[in-house]
Amino acid sequence: MSQNFDTIGRVFEQNLKMGHRCCSKQKIKRGLWSPEEDERLVRYINTHGHKSWSSVPKYAGKHFLLHVWLQRCGKSCRLRWINYLRPDLKRGSFTAEEEQIIIDIHRILGNRWAQIAKHLPGRTDNEVKNFWNSCIKKKLISQGLDPQTHNLLSSHKRSFASTISNMHQNSNSICIISSHVPNAPMETTFQTFSSLPKPPPSVVQTSSSIVTSEYQTSPIISNKFSSDLPYELLIDHASNICSPSFMNPPAVELPNNVNSVNWISRVNVDDFSAQTLEEGTQVEVQQEMNTTCEDKGTDVIEASKGNLESSASFESSNFDFGLLDCVLSSEFISHDLSCMDELAWNF
DNA sequence: AAAAAGATCAACCGCACCCTT
DNA sequence: AAAGGGTGCGGTTGATCTTTT
């Protein structure tokens, strides 16, 4: 036992020399935790909880192993509990789904590991951070993406432009790029949205920074917005469908009204003016889109377009709209079309 | 088989914020 | 209002494990 306290004393002096403020008032052990320490901490917390971490090391020793102090500062106890001993922790490697969630949220929040971890039950911020640094970061780089900005690395930009071009040659693609933030890193989110429910088709909205104005489908309605807006909108009319929605398709039901335009969208588009071009006819269009994702029950989007009126309602989706809303003001989404009859665009 | 390099991850550090006194 | 303690967070370190040479 005396040898034990000698060790404690040495550690304490060392901590003082090293300037460990949080440890300077206690005889603090550092480094890896032993199974005995783990057991002591778990037993203490199971009995007393952890209302005050600073009191844990003191009482964990006193209550369960007389005169053998836990010798850890509260901070260390807290970390050990949160990152390792907590019973609700999920063990094992991250799943593909978890990885995708991390990427998606990181694109929005950056290195806010604690916030990201809150979306992953059973995972800790430390775990997420380590996983990011050891795996995801490298994976993104290998895919030509900057892991911090999620932008394409400069060496990959040319090939991306080619991809975009190919998409626009493909009538079975839906491609939504919000223009709300003109310089947003839209090009980065192809794969990061793969976890979203497949949307019904089929509006293409592009930023002016990627000019892809000609769509190959026919017939086409092309809404070319006024020049002060940083985008244009192309609508595939071939299948009477217009929707940049990311809702679950089954949740969307639209009236088949030949006199209305049904437009469901979560794209964060401000009021804007546009011109509709159809077979040489120009129609002044005024659109107002209100979408609130807070109410997941029923959203109604009103779109008034001069003599064209539209409204659509949809029911709840299991997707995290709050999150999505953050994304959509600056991002880009791509999906293949699979079920073209989910929505209708009727005139 | 052994050494070197790379990968992983638990733990620590310093800072910022919040709350209490 | 200021000081001090507690807590949470992101960045970093270093020990250990794994893979490569």
Side-chain angles (χ1 to χ4, degrees), chain A residues 62-268:
Chain A
K62 272 190 177 176
H63 284 209
F64 299 110
L65 289 169
L66 288 175
H67 308 301
V68 180
W69 297 73
L70 195 49
Q71 305 157 28
R72 297 278 181 173
C73 69
K75 210 170 178 175
S76 184
C77 292
R78 173 185 163 271
L79 208 65
R80 185 64 179 170
W81 175 257
I82 288 174
N83 286 340
Y84 196 80
L85 298 174
R86 241 169 57 195
D88 59 330
L89 285 179
K90 190 192 273 185
R91 303 286 181 185
S93 49
F94 283 80
T95 65
E97 188 183 358
E98 287 176 318
E99 180 180 330
Q100 195 58 56
I101 291 171
I102 293 171
I103 293 171
D104 287 345
I105 303 175
H106 184 275
R107 181 173 10 81
I108 302 162
L109 299 177
N111 295 0
R112 294 167 69 180
W113 307 117
Q115 290 296 316
I116 296 171
K118 283 176 184 171
H119 290 80
L120 300 164
R123 302 294 189 183
T124 69
D125 55 349
N126 210 35
E127 216 176 353
V128 171
K129 180 171 55 182
N130 284 334
F131 182 55
W132 178 271
N133 287 327
S134 63
C135 298
I136 300 180
K137 207 169 171 180
K138 289 166 191 166
K139 195 177 281 186
L140 290 180
I141 290 171
S142 74
Q143 292 171 352
L145 297 171
D146 183 327
Q148 281 309 310
T149 64
H150 293 252
N151 282 334
L152 274 178
L153 295 168
S154 55
S155 58
H156 290 73
K157 282 183 178 171
R158 185 170 297 177
S159 61
F160 172 76
S162 171
T163 304
I164 285 289
S165 178
N166 290 339
M167 276 188 58
H168 285 242
Q169 300 288 321
N170 179 3
S171 63
N172 284 336
S173 293
I174 176 171
C175 165
I176 301 166
I177 303 175
S178 166
S179 58
H180 197 62
V181 180
N183 296 321
M186 69 183 77
E187 66 268 36
T188 64
T189 51
F190 262 110
Q191 86 259 1
T192 57
F193 273 85
S194 59
S195 62
L196 289 174
K198 289 208 171 189
S202 140
V203 170
V204 171
Q205 184 177 338
T206 66
S207 156
S208 59
S209 62
I210 292 181
V211 180
T212 50
S213 59
E214 294 304 320
Y215 222 38
Q216 299 305 308
T217 50
S218 176
I220 290 172
I221 296 174
S222 174
N223 291 340
K224 299 211 170 198
F225 300 141
S226 56
S227 59
D228 57 323
L229 291 169
Y231 52 67
E232 61 187 62
L233 172 65
L234 302 175
I235 301 168
D236 181 358
H237 191 234
S239 55
N240 280 349
I241 288 173
C242 172
S243 174
S245 170
F246 318 113
M247 309 302 106
N248 284 329
V252 181
E253 288 185 29
L254 296 177
N256 189 19
N257 183 340
V258 294
N259 293 319
S260 70
V261 174
N262 298 316
W263 185 335
I264 297 177
S265 176
R266 303 206 63 81
V267 177
N268 188 4

